[in-house]
Amino acid sequence: MYKTKIDLPEKLRRNVITVLNDRLADAIDFQSQVKQAHWNVKGPNFIALHELFDKISEAALEHIDDIAERITSLGGTAEGTVAVAAKRSKLKNYPLSITAGKDHLLYLSTQIASLGKAVRQAIDDTGKLGDADTADLFTGISRELDKYLWFLEAHLQDKA
Ligand SMILES: [Fe+2]
């Protein structure tokens, strides 16, 4: 931990940083999975899905940056390499064999919902730990993940 004049106790910051690094790993894993879908999707809706997946990847990159910089703002070390993310991420592996737009939509919507659940838990956990700012950061991310879950699922919901 680095010395900082921030008015949050070190123990609190350590606990919050653990939550942040865990979700950082998930976010890095997720962003790489969305790119995997962006590159490999095929079928009649190719261009719409290719572009949507890139848009979600851009949002995920911002989430990654915001989470990592919150860690350093709290005096911690952002553990943001792909190798660490691969070990620590709680997300399922993305299948390399899927091709059809619908399959990517099904898989990505499962992944984003699972990340969304973990982030919602992080809102509660960091709030209870006493860091309203980190809880607020996770709240913003959670709201965006819910929106993109809708964007993905809307392709699958043509029947109620
Ligand atoms: Fe691209």
Side-chain angles (χ1 to χ4, degrees):
M1 291 288 283
Y2 293 91
K3 275 194 193 315
T4 162
K5 297 185 187 72
I6 200 164
D7 64 324
L8 292 170
E10 183 173 329
K11 187 168 182 285
L12 179 158
R13 287 185 284 121
R14 272 184 197 282
N15 290 331
V16 169
I17 286 166
T18 299
V19 179
L20 283 159
N21 266 320
D22 284 347
R23 297 293 75 78
L24 179 63
D26 291 352
I28 290 169
D29 188 11
F30 175 69
Q31 192 267 335
S32 76
Q33 297 194 12
V34 186
K35 271 293 193 186
Q36 175 68 18
H38 165 77
W39 293 319
N40 291 292
V41 67
K42 296 192 192 301
N45 296 317
F46 166 77
I47 197 65
L49 295 178
H50 177 71
E51 287 176 0
L52 171 61
F53 297 161
D54 218 20
K55 195 173 161 154
I56 298 175
S57 161
E58 278 165 29
L61 279 173
E62 279 185 30
H63 301 159
I64 290 166
D65 206 46
D66 289 345
I67 294 169
E69 290 178 0
R70 182 66 190 158
I71 294 169
T72 45
S73 301
L74 293 171
T77 300
E79 297 170 352
T81 63
V82 173
V84 167
K87 266 193 218 141
R88 196 175 284 164
S89 169
K90 296 282 190 294
L91 296 184
K92 282 192 208 154
N93 283 338
Y94 203 83
L96 300 181
S97 56
I98 57 175
T99 298
K102 193 179 175 201
D103 291 337
H104 282 292
L105 287 163
L106 283 168
Y107 215 88
L108 277 183
S109 59
T110 301
Q111 300 298 72
I112 204 168
S114 143
L115 177 59
K117 183 179 179 185
V119 169
R120 225 181 300 284
Q121 184 65 52
I123 300 170
D124 280 356
D125 292 347
T126 54
K128 278 181 197 143
L129 285 166
D131 182 356
D133 301 288
T134 298
D136 178 65
L137 169 65
F138 280 128
T139 303
I141 292 172
S142 166
R143 193 164 49 238
E144 244 192 347
L145 292 174
D146 287 349
K147 183 182 78 176
Y148 285 118
L149 174 59
W150 163 49
F151 277 32
L152 294 169
E153 286 187 322
H155 293 84
L156 306 165
Q157 291 169 331
D158 48 348
K159 290 188 194 82

